[in-house]
Amino acid sequence: MSIKRIDVGARMSGAVIHGNTVYLAGQVGEGASVTDQCKSALAEVDRLLAAAGTNKSKVLQTLIYLADISDFAEMNAAWEAWVDPANTPARATSEAKLAAPKYKVEFIVTAALD
């Protein structure tokens, strides 16, 4: 099976396609609030999924990392506004120290291709 990489960089690719599965790099967003960062990060998820030839209705699994688990409700509100309610993926959320102090949330998404 071939491997296709999207937005290839020196350290990582934005997305990798192997077979009928798309793996996205962790996506963080811009903004001061958890809501703003979620919206920004999930817009990038949408962009990468489209570049791979799929969309959020095909998301299989999402891992979400919060810098502060007390932001869980705020993140969920942004997530529920974005996710396809007819096709919710398997999901887990954990508290973790993220790559830089300015980041409040990170999404790691795996999706299917048709």
Side-chain angles (χ1 to χ4, degrees):
M1 258 186 245
S2 67
I3 297 172
K4 179 181 176 185
R5 298 174 197 282
I6 298 169
D7 291 353
V8 177
R11 183 170 293 144
M12 69 182 124
S13 295
V16 176
I17 302 168
H18 181 252
N20 290 326
T21 307
V22 180
Y23 305 89
L24 300 190
Q27 299 302 309
V28 294
E30 296 300 321
S33 71
V34 171
T35 299
D36 289 343
Q37 288 192 17
C38 286
K39 287 179 180 179
S40 175
L42 292 170
E44 185 62 8
V45 167
D46 282 332
R47 185 191 73 77
L48 286 166
L49 290 175
T54 191
N55 61 67
K56 66 184 169 186
S57 73
K58 304 287 197 257
V59 172
L60 302 170
Q61 179 182 48
T62 302
L63 304 176
I64 304 169
Y65 297 106
L66 287 168
D68 185 341
I69 200 69
S70 70
D71 292 328
F72 187 70
E74 185 178 354
M75 177 278 299
N76 270 332
W79 170 262
E80 289 166 4
W82 175 83
V83 74
D84 180 345
N87 295 290
T88 55
R91 192 190 100 168
T93 305
S94 302
E95 183 178 66
K97 188 171 185 175
L98 301 180
K102 70 178 183 175
Y103 296 128
K104 298 176 184 293
V105 62
E106 182 173 7
F107 297 88
I108 300 174
V109 173
T110 304
L113 292 174
D114 279 334

